Amino acid sequence: MFQTAFKFYKSRNPPPSFENVLLIGSDHPNLKTVQLVHDDIKCFTGLQSPKEWKVYELVTRPGLLVVANPFTAEAQRHWMMRSLTDYPTHPNTTNQSSASQLIQEVGCSWWEMMQTIANPDERRKFAKSLRWATLGYQYDWTNKVYDEARREAFPSDLGALVRYVAAVLGYDRFSPEAAIVNYYPTGATLAGHTDHSEDDQTAPLFSFSFGQPAVFLIGGTSREEQPDAILLRSGDIVVMTGASRLCYHAVPRICTDAELPQEMRNSAARWEVGNLAPQRDEVLWDGGIQQYIQYSRININVRQVLRENQQTLARPELG
């Protein structure tokens, strides 16, 4: 069931229908509005007042929450820039091990390295080659575990953002300790999987989307269950809590607004209105990030690795 749905939305020829894709904010029986208990919390820079937030729960997947874009346009661009210029840098790990070594040798960041490539085709190829970066606890993709020996400092501003969102939703003890930043060029996919490497698998998982829209599949604890398809747009936040925390999920399609039905198109407008105050941000935006995001999606998913009051992943030696 899950794989059949994945292949359906991944298909290029013929392209899929979006008629069964849930649009957040629409009047659909599978979406119910969640009333926030903590909407009186002081506003966080770059976010709307929690009193203005629109939060939905997927009826068919209890615990799967979606916050419909609470970001300002400026804040969306800020997190896009952080993801591209700061996160794929040492000591964080990326999928480009050989490129990372070269970048360290020449003394510049991944983004700065891309700016040195004059040939447009080679530059686009280099941009598409970045697929993930890990923050905080570095993830061992081979053994699918976190490494205590590679516990790096979690970005303080991202940590503050996630703790704020968690507190508004009633998870005020959530501790952001690891993140995987995914970079998706249009046409890319993420296969069905569950997230179960964390010692604390009861803490929620927070997923922030920026850039081009994506079809997100959320199923059950078995691949045999029929998944639901949700359209995620720039600024939307998915929070996997409760029973949904260990459900199979996937991203079978990254698309541009032009591929969507007319009523689903408006992603770009979510980040193109407003000014960029710092001069550095304006230079970076005009210097390539705006072009990059026209054909890409960035996803920042944040996890709590340790159980409450647990200090380390290291296991005590016996004897």
Side-chain angles (χ1 to χ4, degrees), residues 138-256:
Q138 302 297 292
Y139 191 63
D140 180 340
W141 293 89
T142 301
N143 298 305
K144 299 189 184 306
V145 295
Y146 293 98
D147 187 352
E148 184 65 35
R150 290 292 320 280
R151 185 180 185 178
E152 308 297 343
F154 195 88
S156 59
D157 56 347
L158 179 59
L161 169 68
V162 179
R163 280 191 294 271
Y164 179 86
V165 173
V168 171
L169 296 176
Y171 298 95
D172 51 6
R173 293 188 176 182
F174 181 81
S175 176
E177 294 160 347
I180 299 175
V181 186
N182 295 113
Y183 305 89
Y184 297 96
T186 51
T189 64
L190 178 67
H193 66 284
T194 61
D195 293 294
H196 55 265
S197 298
E198 296 76 25
D199 275 20
D200 189 339
Q201 296 176 13
T202 63
L205 188 153
F206 293 84
S207 177
F208 300 81
S209 292
F210 299 106
Q212 296 305 314
V215 175
F216 174 72
L217 291 183
I218 177 72
T221 55
S222 164
R223 292 181 185 269
E224 301 307 312
E225 295 185 46
Q226 180 68 31
D228 293 285
I230 303 174
L231 184 71
L232 296 180
R233 297 182 292 186
S234 193
D236 289 346
I237 306 172
V238 170
V239 189
M240 299 177 72
T241 74
S244 75
R245 173 64 176 78
L246 294 175
C247 286
Y248 277 93
H249 53 285
V251 180
R253 196 175 194 90
I254 309 295
C255 46
T256 62

Side-chain angles (χ1 to χ4, degrees), residues 1-10 191-192 217 223-225 227:
M1 290 286 194
F2 192 99
Q3 193 61 21
T4 299
F6 184 89
K7 290 180 178 178
F8 174 79
Y9 287 109
K10 178 183 177 181
L217 291 183
R223 292 181 185 269
E224 301 307 312
E225 295 185 46

Side-chain angles (χ1 to χ4, degrees), residues 36-318:
L36 296 176
V37 178
H38 303 284
D39 64 358
D40 57 347
I41 297 177
K42 183 180 178 181
C43 292
F44 187 90
T45 302
L47 294 178
Q48 301 172 13
S49 166
K51 294 182 183 296
E52 305 298 323
W53 289 17
K54 305 297 183 184
V55 184
Y56 303 88
E57 182 175 15
L58 188 57
V59 174
T60 52
R61 303 296 171 194
L64 194 285
L65 307 178
V66 182
V67 184
N69 182 28
F71 290 91
T72 64
E74 294 88 345
Q76 286 201 47
R77 295 198 293 264
H78 169 80
W79 293 111
M80 293 175 193
M81 286 184 280
R82 284 284 277 153
S83 297
L84 289 168
T85 64
D86 299 325
Y87 294 159
T89 58
H90 183 77
N92 300 327
T93 306
T94 76
N95 64 294
Q96 296 180 309
S97 56
S98 58
S100 296
Q101 182 178 356
L102 176 60
I103 288 169
Q104 290 182 43
E105 289 174 359
V106 299
C108 65
S109 70
W110 175 86
W111 184 256
E112 291 169 335
M113 183 74 176
M114 189 168 70
Q115 307 312 302
T116 67
I117 303 174
N119 183 289
D121 292 334
E122 290 298 319
R123 185 170 175 171
R124 281 192 293 270
K125 182 179 179 181
F126 184 82
K128 288 182 177 181
S129 65
L130 178 66
R131 300 306 299 271
W132 55 262
T134 50
L135 315 178
Y137 269 111
Q138 302 297 292
Y139 191 63
D140 180 340
W141 293 89
T142 301
N143 298 305
K144 299 189 184 306
V145 295
Y146 293 98
D147 187 352
E148 184 65 35
R150 290 292 320 280
R151 185 180 185 178
E152 308 297 343
F154 195 88
S156 59
D157 56 347
L158 179 59
L161 169 68
V162 179
R163 280 191 294 271
Y164 179 86
V165 173
V168 171
L169 296 176
Y171 298 95
D172 51 6
R173 293 188 176 182
F174 181 81
S175 176
E177 294 160 347
I180 299 175
V181 186
N182 295 113
Y183 305 89
Y184 297 96
T186 51
T189 64
L190 178 67
H193 66 284
T194 61
D195 293 294
H196 55 265
S197 298
E198 296 76 25
D199 275 20
D200 189 339
Q201 296 176 13
T202 63
L205 188 153
F206 293 84
S207 177
F208 300 81
S209 292
F210 299 106
Q212 296 305 314
V215 175
F216 174 72
L217 291 183
I218 177 72
T221 55
S222 164
R223 292 181 185 269
E224 301 307 312
E225 295 185 46
Q226 180 68 31
D228 293 285
I230 303 174
L231 184 71
L232 296 180
R233 297 182 292 186
S234 193
D236 289 346
I237 306 172
V238 170
V239 189
M240 299 177 72
T241 74
S244 75
R245 173 64 176 78
L246 294 175
C247 286
Y248 277 93
H249 53 285
V251 180
R253 196 175 194 90
I254 309 295
C255 46
T256 62
D257 268 5
E259 297 176 60
L260 296 172
Q262 189 64 44
E263 64 273 14
M264 290 184 169
R265 300 180 189 177
N266 76 346
S267 291
R270 294 181 165 205
W271 70 74
E272 290 182 348
V273 179
N275 298 318
L276 286 166
Q279 183 177 4
R280 171 184 177 271
D281 288 357
E282 185 175 348
V283 170
L284 286 172
W285 183 256
D286 294 339
I289 292 178
Q290 182 179 25
Q291 181 180 16
Y292 174 94
I293 211 65
Q294 297 300 320
Y295 303 98
S296 307
R297 172 181 181 247
I298 297 171
N299 171 244
I300 307 172
N301 57 85
V302 183
R303 303 102 183 282
Q304 177 175 314
V305 175
L306 304 175
R307 297 183 296 273
E308 189 172 357
N309 299 321
Q310 182 183 357
Q311 301 300 317
T312 177
L313 288 175
R315 306 294 190 249
E317 295 183 6
L318 300 177

